[in-house]
Amino acid sequence: GAGVSQSPSNKVTEKGKDVELRCDPISGHTALYWYRQSLGQGLEFLIYFQGNSAPDKSGLPSDRFSAERTGGSVSTLTIQRTQQEDSAVYLCASSLISGGAKSYEQYFGPGTRLTVT
Amino acid sequence: QQPVQSPQAVILREGEDAVINCSSSKALYSVHWYRQKHGEAPVFLMILLKGGEQKGHDKISASFNEKKQQSSLYLTASQLSYSGTYFCGTEIETGANNLFFGTGTRLTVIP
């Protein structure tokens, strides 16, 4: 089956412009995550959606960042008034959470490389 | 809440063994391990739940000591395909399903 897909794969934008990054999770996966990975760095958690619950936004670095997930499927990460420090690879992941006291593997998309000039 | 990984980088010759450590200051429910090759997305290796279990996957295995809030990834008889950056992801609450990843360990296997 299809994996997690993200678009665009690359995005170059000018400082101050807004950008939207899209994530299509694996069909049926109830959980969706956004991470940011700067060059040579680890994965920085941004936001987490699970089913109809309120998203966990605790990782968003500023109020310029927001995300939504429509219909429990596709998600869009929006960065307003982009800054050069926003340049990074933005990774989306999804997982199938079926309840109970377990932990679930995450399937990652290929990422969107954002460059702010 | 970010776990600490060590070493930051390691170079091995084919056939050698390596251990990568992951340590958290928080009580953990689970530890995930992922491998990321250059320019690619991270790929899941294994999950360890609290209970001190050890898991294996071919010649890659891991342990989880919940009392010490530590996990170790063991790579034995390394192959060229093992090269990549290894990340541990820690889950600190039951049911949160939210991971905090370490900064990664870059493993290079040379012939």
Side-chain angles (χ1 to χ4, degrees), chain A residues 7-12 111-115:
Chain A
S7 61
S9 55
N10 282 284
K11 177 72 177 178
V12 181
T112 294
R113 182 176 298 276
L114 175 67
T115 304

Side-chain angles (χ1 to χ4, degrees), chain A residues 5-104:
Chain A
S5 61
Q6 292 186 245
S7 61
S9 55
N10 282 284
K11 177 72 177 178
V12 181
T13 190
E14 293 180 351
K15 178 182 173 182
K17 296 287 181 77
D18 298 351
V19 294
E20 284 190 352
L21 312 179
R22 177 187 169 104
C23 172
D24 281 90
I26 292 173
S27 178
H29 279 195
T30 56
L32 187 148
Y33 313 79
W34 282 99
Y35 297 92
R36 177 169 70 176
Q37 186 172 34
S38 301
L39 186 62
Q41 300 299 309
L43 299 159
E44 177 189 4
F45 165 74
L46 296 177
I47 188 169
Y48 158 51
F49 297 89
Q50 164 54 10
N52 296 320
S53 302
D56 178 351
K57 304 180 181 180
S58 59
L60 294 178
S62 77
D63 58 7
R64 295 186 296 105
F65 288 72
S66 63
E68 62 178 23
R69 189 178 185 193
T70 55
S73 181
V74 172
S75 177
T76 302
L77 177 69
T78 302
I79 308 174
Q80 296 179 311
R81 304 181 302 282
T82 52
Q83 304 294 313
Q84 289 186 331
E85 60 263 29
D86 299 335
S87 295
V89 175
Y90 289 81
L91 289 162
C92 172
S94 70
S95 63
L96 175 61
I97 295 180
S98 58
K102 279 192 65 177
S103 190
Y104 300 86

Side-chain angles (χ1 to χ4, degrees), chain A residues 26 29 31 33 35 93-97 102-108, chain B residues 30-34 42-47 49 55 91 97 99 101:
Chain A
I26 292 173
H29 279 195
Y33 313 79
Y35 297 92
S94 70
S95 63
L96 175 61
I97 295 180
K102 279 192 65 177
S103 190
Y104 300 86
E105 64 186 273
Q106 296 184 16
Y107 296 83
F108 283 82
Chain B
S30 73
V31 179
H32 295 216
W33 286 96
Y34 291 79
V43 173
F44 170 78
L45 294 177
M46 65 188 76
I47 294 173
L49 301 178
K55 280 201 161 187
E91 182 183 0
N97 297 114
L99 298 179
F101 284 91

